[in-house]
Amino acid sequence: MKEHPDYQEELDRLTFTKVYMDSVIAAQQSDQETLKKRQESTVASLDFKDSSLKYQDMLTHANFMKMSKDQLENLKKLRKKPYFARIDYHRKEKPEREIFYIGKVSLFDRETQQPIILDWRSPLANVYYEGRVGDVSYEAHGEWYEGNVSLKRQYSIEEGELLDFRDIDITTKDDLLQDSLSQNADHRLTEIVSTIQEEQNRVIRADLRKPIVVQGAAGSGKTTIALHRVSYFLYTLQDIFRPEEMLILAPNRLFIDYMKEVLPELGVEKARSTTFVDYVQLITGHTFSVQTQHETLMNVLEHSGEEEAILKMAEWKGSMPLQNVLDHFLQHVKKEFLVEDDLKIAGFRVVNGKKMKKLFLEDYSYLPFYKRKEKIRQILISDVRRKKKVMLEKMTKKYDDELDRALYGIKDADKRKRRVSFLLDQKDAKLKQIETESKKAVRDYMKQYPNASLSEYFTRFYEEELFDTLLEKHLSKADRQFMRSHTLQQLNKNKIDAEDLAMLLYLHANLYGLDPDYRAKKVVMDEAQDYSYMEFVSLKRALNTDLFTIVGDLAQGIYQYRGLKKWQPILEHVFREPNYLTLQKTYRTTIEIMQTANDILNLMDEPLPQAEPVVRHGEKPIFYSTLKEDWEKALYEEFMKLSEKGFKSFTIIGKTIKECKAIYEHMSLYFPEEEIQLVQGQEEMEKDRVIILPVYLAKGLEFDCVFLVNLQEGYESTELDRKLLYVAMTRPLHRLQLWSKDPKNFLLHRVRPDYYQVPDTL
């Protein structure tokens, strides 16, 4: 690198950038006089070959830059690696070449407005990711610009030191990617922005005004790419959207903790990150405990009984026909809101009942039922308040006219006196009647409208005869009876199944609507293949937005009893004109590991999209027998060998929680307590520990080395077990070891024998 003709120039540029950043940081923390002296001292200490005056001018402008505390903290972090790339660009309409350095955030000379660092999300930076050296064009603010890229360069900078740089062509681009992929899991996660590939870039920058569905193979980077799309979205539409208006739905809380490593790097840490279960509980305010799909899956894997009926019920509760059934139920409920009685006070018709019915059915049809009811209540209050004065005036005038007639028309004094006294009493009574009835008229009138809770409607759906009428076309009598009795039994225990949440959310959205504090304008759904059709529908109905980024992998659909088997239903029936893109290249694991996993995928009854590994070789997966005495010691020794080779993150994956608990007991004989952690779902993964977790929790995570351990519960040749095994096999970056009594427990007898190694004599 030092022999490169541009070496000194690049070294100077990095030195200047760090000094400029220091100056900006100091500008936020010092008064002007202190800053001026600091800058003079800094510039005097620089030893640039040329352009020092230009640098001095730029440094003196740093004091114009005012930034938030968050921006300042980001700047301090980024000083360690200010930028990762450079392009030399010649605009068609400009005579001179321009040099742009690309980093995670932009940094401008506030006097000249020239970028010192160009944000990776900017339109021009897209040339770096997609364009070739030579003639290029890019779009910005609806206009196209043409030019020529004469140089694309990538840097390796750590702790503010220039380690290496390379000029990019097809070959070196692959080399740079290889370098990135060879790193450990914790480092790769935060550095993906510097190695975004073309197919990933297309996902990030796809039309932001449309929903997007991404079929992404295991290890294709779909999660981090989805988060980068969020970052790009907020950068591009920062005048319209705030991070707080974003909703990121993750498969479990463990995954949310994992994502936290990426979010601050992308500037979207203020986005709401939660699970579907937690979000629905927040929105609806219900207090039921939820049996999650993970618990249902464990019950199925551990053969708890009634599996077939439970799975059939769960599948139906998430299916497309349920939406139609719920809409019919809501039409039935709507009739209870169609009040036609006039509102009368003291004989006066204050409000026309037919008008109220029309308001509910037509004028406010865009609102949930109870919001319409509230609108009508407000109108009634306003009308009563406005017309009360008129009623009082009319009543007063009526009796004043009667009194005048009595006073001047009745000649008999006693008769006149009795008549006047009667009229005065009547007038007083009628005026009091108007006052009294006005106070409670709206309250009494509104009693004609329903006032039920969400749980009451939910229970009604299963209890009323309408249930059988609506479902008889879809389910047998036996299946209906099981669903009804199971759900009502759960409700009696103050419990519901995860599959009930979609229905609860759909009913809540149509009946009550969302609290503004819980709304989101943009939604990201990860591991989307595990969501049911009704969960997509209910979210879209509740949030009333089309701005969804949906990423998943059908091959990893381990909750196939409830999730999607194909993307078509949501592409064709839920969203309007969505974009559909694929990420089939896997950047996570080696060719050798991926070949084994793909052979498992080939066993599926229906063909599923296979991951295409980038050209990165490593050791073949290796099978070890647990029939040998002290196999736990052998596994621990393997862990120690791999640690000595520089690998940092390790996991042991079992099929079920029950299996993981047994594995933990075995491995605790050799691992010190502070080096090993059993994760069952709610815990935060501790750094620098060997994590033991069930396969369903491993989805979306990646580790340097993975040990698949099977003690009692082997993987069978069923669709569910094959998918579970595929998920487990695609977690490692570098090493995969399989530990069991028999290779058949990992279906290795169905894998090509040259794809893995068996060092033991079985």
Side-chain angles (χ1 to χ4, degrees):
M1 180 184 69
K2 290 186 177 180
E3 290 75 31
H4 195 288
D6 295 344
Y7 172 71
Q8 190 59 47
E9 178 189 333
E10 292 293 2
L11 203 58
D12 289 350
R13 172 67 194 209
L14 179 59
T15 304
F16 156 69
T17 304
K18 290 188 296 182
V19 168
Y20 186 81
M21 293 171 96
D22 289 342
S23 189
V24 170
I25 292 166
Q28 313 304 305
Q29 301 170 336
S30 310
D31 58 56
Q32 294 300 308
E33 192 58 37
T34 306
L35 174 66
K36 186 177 178 183
K37 289 178 181 177
R38 183 187 178 98
Q39 286 174 335
E40 287 172 355
S41 171
T42 300
V43 172
S45 68
L46 297 178
D47 186 25
F48 295 120
K49 290 185 176 179
D50 52 37
S51 301
S52 59
L53 288 175
K54 178 184 176 186
Y55 289 140
Q56 184 173 357
D57 288 342
M58 291 179 78
L59 287 173
T60 57
H61 296 148
N63 64 322
F64 290 105
M65 186 173 184
K66 296 298 175 190
M67 57 178 60
S68 69
K69 185 179 178 181
D70 288 345
Q71 287 174 316
L72 188 62
E73 288 305 311
N74 276 337
L75 198 61
K76 289 177 182 177
K77 288 179 193 171
L78 291 169
R79 189 191 179 281
K80 296 177 181 179
K81 189 169 184 175
Y83 48 82
F84 55 81
R86 158 186 167 178
I87 55 172
D88 290 11
Y89 184 68
H90 190 165
R91 297 174 194 262
K92 204 170 186 181
E93 66 276 9
K94 286 195 174 184
E96 72 280 356
R97 177 192 65 164
E98 296 174 279
I99 298 175
F100 297 98
Y101 287 81
I102 302 170
K104 289 182 180 177
V105 295
S106 56
L107 182 63
F108 287 90
D109 170 7
R110 288 303 172 97
E111 182 71 12
T112 65
Q113 289 303 305
Q114 290 302 305
I116 296 167
I117 303 172
L118 191 67
D119 194 297
W120 70 272
R121 298 164 292 188
S122 66
L124 181 54
N126 192 35
V127 169
Y128 169 76
Y129 291 112
E130 286 212 336
R132 300 279 185 267
V133 172
D135 292 337
V136 296
S137 60
Y138 69 94
E139 184 185 10
H141 310 298
E143 292 188 34
W144 282 91
Y145 298 88
E146 295 182 353
N148 182 276
V149 173
S150 57
L151 177 71
K152 289 173 69 176
R153 182 171 285 171
Q154 189 167 38
Y155 302 89
S156 176
I157 300 171
E158 297 295 340
E159 298 300 323
E161 298 299 318
L162 182 61
L163 304 181
D164 194 9
F165 63 86
R166 303 183 214 182
D167 295 341
I168 296 176
D169 55 27
I170 302 270
T171 309
T172 54
K173 191 173 183 183
D174 284 344
D175 292 342
L176 292 163
L177 180 60
Q178 293 291 331
D179 287 349
S180 172
L181 298 182
S182 66
Q183 293 172 352
N184 294 328
D186 52 355
H187 188 72
R188 274 167 35 94
L189 192 64
T190 56
E191 291 306 317
I192 191 172
V193 69
S194 61
T195 56
I196 291 170
Q197 301 299 293
E198 286 182 38
E199 66 167 3
Q200 296 173 324
N201 191 50
R202 279 193 290 274
V203 171
I204 292 170
R205 297 175 191 259
D207 193 338
L208 295 175
R209 297 161 295 179
K210 287 185 176 184
I212 182 172
V213 177
V214 181
Q215 162 58 41
S220 60
K222 55 186 175 293
T223 299
T224 43
I225 292 306
L227 297 177
H228 281 73
R229 179 168 168 80
V230 171
S231 181
Y232 176 66
F233 182 93
L234 290 172
Y235 174 86
T236 307
L237 302 175
Q238 57 189 294
D239 295 333
I240 305 171
F241 285 88
R242 294 176 291 110
E244 294 84 351
E245 296 172 315
M246 311 288 294
L247 172 66
I248 299 172
L249 291 176
N252 51 59
R253 291 173 191 166
L254 184 69
F255 197 74
I256 291 169
D257 293 333
Y258 184 73
M259 285 196 302
K260 284 177 183 175
E261 296 182 54
V262 175
L263 289 173
E265 292 288 332
L266 298 176
V268 295
E269 64 272 19
K270 291 180 183 176
R272 187 196 300 270
S273 301
T274 185
T275 65
F276 183 77
V277 172
D278 289 344
Y279 190 56
V280 175
Q281 287 185 308
L282 176 71
I283 287 172
T284 61
H286 80 71
T287 56
F288 302 122
S289 62
V290 179
Q291 175 164 306
T292 67
Q293 66 263 38
H294 317 313
E295 292 171 295
T296 302
L297 181 68
M298 288 301 105
N299 289 338
V300 171
L301 291 173
E302 293 169 7
H303 307 292
S304 62
E306 292 188 326
E307 297 99 278
E308 188 176 339
I310 287 173
L311 294 185
K312 194 169 186 179
M313 176 186 67
E315 181 178 12
W316 200 85
K317 283 182 176 181
S319 68
M320 194 182 297
L322 180 61
Q323 183 184 8
N324 188 46
V325 166
L326 288 179
D327 286 339
H328 277 90
F329 175 68
L330 287 164
Q331 289 302 315
H332 172 71
V333 171
K334 184 194 286 185
K335 293 174 185 175
E336 300 165 10
F337 287 82
L338 303 183
V339 177
E340 293 188 70
D341 294 348
D342 295 338
L343 188 152
K344 293 182 178 180
I345 295 175
F348 288 93
R349 187 175 80 171
V350 180
V351 175
N352 185 319
K354 289 183 178 177
K355 179 188 171 187
M356 293 301 101
K357 181 179 176 182
K358 179 179 177 293
L359 284 173
F360 188 91
L361 288 175
E362 298 176 21
D363 298 49
Y364 299 133
S365 61
Y366 63 95
L367 290 172
F369 293 177
Y370 278 86
K371 290 269 174 73
R372 298 186 213 181
K373 174 186 166 183
E374 178 58 23
K375 281 276 189 184
I376 288 170
R377 191 180 76 85
Q378 293 296 336
I379 286 171
L380 293 176
I381 290 171
S382 177
D383 280 359
V384 168
R385 187 183 294 123
R386 181 168 46 85
K387 291 182 180 180
K388 176 184 158 186
K389 186 179 178 182
V390 175
M391 287 186 289
L392 290 169
E393 288 173 351
K394 281 186 177 181
M395 194 61 73
T396 301
K397 186 176 185 309
K398 175 188 173 184
Y399 281 97
D400 285 351
D401 289 345
E402 289 281 340
L403 284 165
D404 283 346
R405 282 194 290 272
L407 287 168
Y408 299 108
I410 300 174
K411 293 181 180 179
D412 185 297
D414 288 339
K415 194 175 180 181
R416 185 172 61 242
K417 183 179 179 182
R418 286 195 303 273
R419 178 65 178 165
V420 168
S421 177
F422 170 77
L423 288 172
L424 286 171
D425 289 344
Q426 280 291 96
K427 177 185 177 183
D428 187 52
K430 284 291 184 183
L431 292 179
K432 282 182 179 177
Q433 183 184 359
I434 291 171
E435 289 284 359
T436 303
E437 289 187 14
S438 294
K439 289 177 182 176
K440 61 176 185 172
V442 174
R443 184 174 67 249
D444 289 346
Y445 188 87
M446 294 307 295
K447 287 177 181 176
Q448 298 177 88
Y449 288 90
N451 186 30
S453 68
L454 179 62
S455 59
E456 286 173 319
Y457 283 112
F458 183 70
T459 305
R460 269 182 59 185
F461 176 78
Y462 288 99
E463 286 181 338
E464 292 182 359
E465 289 182 17
L466 186 65
F467 175 82
D468 283 310
T469 306
L470 292 174
L471 272 72
E472 63 184 353
K473 294 180 182 177
H474 306 286
L475 293 172
S476 69
K477 186 177 181 180
D479 288 335
R480 294 199 304 273
Q481 286 176 340
F482 178 81
M483 186 189 299
R484 170 182 268 154
S485 62
H486 172 85
T487 306
L488 292 175
Q489 282 172 17
Q490 290 280 77
L491 286 172
N492 285 334
K493 300 173 190 172
N494 201 36
K495 195 172 185 179
I496 59 171
D497 295 330
E499 288 70 35
D500 292 316
L501 292 169
M503 178 177 168
L504 279 171
L505 181 56
Y506 194 78
L507 290 176
H508 185 87
N510 283 280
L511 291 167
Y512 308 99
L514 264 67
D515 185 308
D517 290 342
Y518 304 147
R519 286 195 171 278
K521 292 183 180 179
K522 168 78 178 170
V523 185
V524 177
M525 298 175 72
D526 197 13
E527 299 292 344
Q529 76 281 349
D530 293 332
Y531 286 82
S532 70
Y533 175 85
M534 268 308 299
E535 286 172 339
F536 284 105
V537 167
S538 63
L539 274 169
K540 185 175 183 300
R541 174 69 183 86
L543 296 172
N544 194 28
T545 179
D546 256 347
L547 297 180
F548 277 69
T549 293
I550 295 163
V551 297
D553 180 16
L554 296 175
Q556 297 183 67
I558 62 175
Y559 305 101
Q560 86 280 4
Y561 67 89
R562 71 187 301 279
L564 296 173
K565 294 176 175 63
K566 295 179 180 178
W567 295 115
Q568 274 66 29
I570 61 169
L571 290 171
E572 295 171 5
H573 300 291
V574 180
F575 298 105
R576 290 174 297 182
E577 299 181 357
N579 278 323
Y580 176 72
L581 295 173
T582 60
L583 293 170
Q584 287 311 110
K585 289 192 175 107
T586 176
Y587 303 95
R588 176 184 296 143
T589 196
T590 62
I591 287 176
E592 288 74 15
I593 294 173
M594 206 65 234
Q595 283 174 331
T596 309
N598 277 340
D599 258 19
I600 297 298
L601 203 58
N602 284 332
L603 300 175
M604 297 295 177
D605 298 330
E606 292 185 16
L608 288 167
Q610 286 200 351
E612 303 166 11
V614 296
V615 184
R616 181 167 72 90
H617 285 283
E619 285 190 9
K620 291 179 183 179
I622 186 166
F623 176 85
Y624 289 101
S625 174
T626 56
L627 289 171
K628 294 176 67 175
E629 273 191 53
D630 292 340
W631 65 267
E632 303 95 336
K633 181 181 179 184
L635 192 152
Y636 181 74
E637 288 171 351
E638 285 295 316
F639 159 73
M640 292 302 295
K641 287 178 194 173
L642 292 169
S643 295
E644 287 166 8
K645 290 182 179 179
F647 296 118
K648 302 288 185 186
S649 60
F650 297 83
T651 187
I652 299 173
I653 298 177
K655 186 178 176 184
T656 64
I657 290 176
K658 182 180 174 184
E659 182 94 312
C660 288
K661 288 177 179 176
I663 294 168
Y664 181 78
E665 291 298 320
H666 279 274
M667 299 315 303
S668 295
L669 298 172
Y670 291 93
F671 281 96
E673 186 179 339
E674 65 276 7
E675 286 185 15
I676 195 168
Q677 181 189 10
L678 174 63
V679 173
Q680 300 182 60
Q682 304 300 328
E683 309 89 340
E684 186 171 336
M685 287 193 300
E686 300 287 341
K687 280 206 165 188
D688 303 321
R689 289 199 184 191
V690 175
I691 305 298
I692 299 177
L693 77 173
V695 63
Y696 77 85
L697 282 179
K699 269 196 328 126
L701 308 183
E702 61 182 34
F703 303 87
D704 292 341
C705 305
V706 172
F707 303 93
L708 301 192
V709 178
N710 164 249
L711 300 180
Q712 300 295 333
E713 301 168 18
Y715 294 86
E716 299 172 11
S717 195
T718 63
E719 181 183 0
L720 174 57
D721 277 17
R722 289 190 293 254
K723 284 185 175 178
L724 286 168
L725 186 53
Y726 177 77
V727 168
M729 284 183 169
T730 53
R731 298 309 97 204
L733 273 65
H734 305 293
R735 296 286 192 276
L736 173 62
Q737 295 187 5
L738 305 102
W739 295 72
S740 184
K741 294 174 183 174
D742 191 325
K744 289 181 180 179
N745 287 331
F746 293 115
L747 304 181
L748 291 179
H749 60 298
R750 307 289 298 276
V751 172
R752 276 166 277 193
D754 57 323
Y755 279 3
Y756 66 96
Q757 29 181 341
V758 185
D760 294 334
T761 304
L762 298 177

